[in-house]
Amino acid sequence: MRATRSPFGSTRRRPNRAGSEKRHEVPKASVGRMTSINHVTLKVADPSAAETFYADAFGLDERLRLRASDAPSSGFRGFTLSLIAAQPATVSALFDSAVSAGATVLKPAAKSMWGFGGNVQAPDGTIWTIATSAKKDTGPATRQIDNVVLLLGVDDVKASKRFYVDHGLEVGKSFGSYVEFALPTSPIGLGLYKRAALARTAGVSAEGTGSHRIAIGDGEAFVDPDGFAWEG
């Protein structure tokens, strides 16, 4: 199941935004087509505590890695991660386990026009959306995660889309302030959303300073226009 424009995913630049003190001038890349995001690495103050939380909350596999970091960061870090499940009962089970493990509720899980879901913030500060496009259960609740989607909050969606297309990504869907890339075999999906809109969807203020505290792994090292670091 892919992310849609729902929460499962030119503004004046503020110089102190998290991880993006200024917009990077990056030349067009002459690289092969990017086809996959293998993992994301969260930079956390206490990797041991974070490992315990994520094992208890979601049971995520090698798609999520943790790295110790004391890089200053406050407020919205400019991204969210979405866990997509098959039915509301599974969303509720994952949501409840995250809260029991220590997550803070940002938006309670509830029905909406796009399906069912809610938002929590992990103790390390990462914001997670847990959602499904299904509106009815078809079986008992499980803890199965069908897909993981990374949404990057960007200042200029058109420019960031062009940057990633120049790096070999293909656009799957584009709706003005939202872009979804076509990564059909990738362990993690990728989308771009207007930063303020993404923060509003997550239930937090768009203000933030310091590091994004995330690294994206696909085998190629670069930094995008909003300061998001990719690494091998």
Side-chain angles (χ1 to χ4, degrees):
M1 183 183 300
R2 296 182 181 176
T4 67
R5 197 183 177 184
S6 73
F8 331 129
S10 166
T11 299
R12 184 178 180 182
R13 169 157 290 277
R14 297 181 181 272
N16 64 341
R17 279 186 176 168
S20 53
E21 288 79 4
K22 62 181 179 179
R23 198 165 182 86
H24 299 263
E25 296 296 330
V26 185
K28 289 186 177 181
S30 56
V31 297
R33 180 174 179 267
M34 294 166 55
T35 60
S36 182
I37 299 176
N38 298 318
H39 62 272
V40 294
T41 300
L42 300 180
K43 302 177 182 180
V44 301
D46 188 338
S48 179
E51 183 176 4
T52 298
F53 168 78
Y54 286 113
D56 293 344
F58 306 136
L60 286 178
D61 51 27
E62 65 276 3
R63 288 174 289 186
L64 181 67
R65 300 181 182 180
L66 303 169
R67 181 185 304 162
S69 175
D70 58 1
S73 183
S74 65
F76 184 48
R77 294 178 183 170
F79 74 93
T80 65
L81 283 159
S82 297
L83 303 180
I84 311 302
Q87 60 178 357
T90 297
V91 168
S92 293
L94 290 166
F95 193 95
D96 291 345
S97 66
V99 174
S100 295
T104 300
V105 176
L106 298 177
K107 287 186 176 180
K111 292 181 180 179
S112 73
M113 64 179 182
W114 47 261
F116 182 86
N119 299 307
V120 298
Q121 187 166 31
D124 65 86
T126 303
I127 295 173
W128 294 83
T129 295
I130 309 169
T132 179
S133 60
K135 297 187 178 181
K136 294 183 179 180
D137 294 324
T138 57
T142 70
R143 285 168 53 85
Q144 181 176 338
I145 297 166
D146 291 350
N147 201 6
V148 179
V149 179
L150 171 63
L151 288 179
L152 303 180
V154 302
D155 274 356
D156 187 330
V157 174
K158 182 182 293 186
S160 292
K161 178 174 71 172
R162 183 169 60 249
F163 172 85
Y164 280 105
V165 169
D166 288 343
H167 273 70
L169 288 182
E170 294 183 357
V171 174
K173 298 178 182 178
S174 184
F175 303 100
S177 64
Y178 176 82
V179 176
E180 175 188 325
F181 294 104
L183 294 169
T185 63
S186 177
I188 299 175
L190 178 66
L192 307 176
Y193 211 171
K194 196 78 169 176
R195 180 189 171 96
L198 182 59
R200 183 168 58 250
T201 297
V204 297
S205 166
E207 297 302 317
T209 61
S211 172
H212 288 303
R213 286 207 175 189
I214 188 174
I216 308 161
D218 89 316
E220 181 187 0
F222 60 88
V223 178
D224 83 356
D226 289 272
F228 289 101
W230 292 65
E231 61 186 22

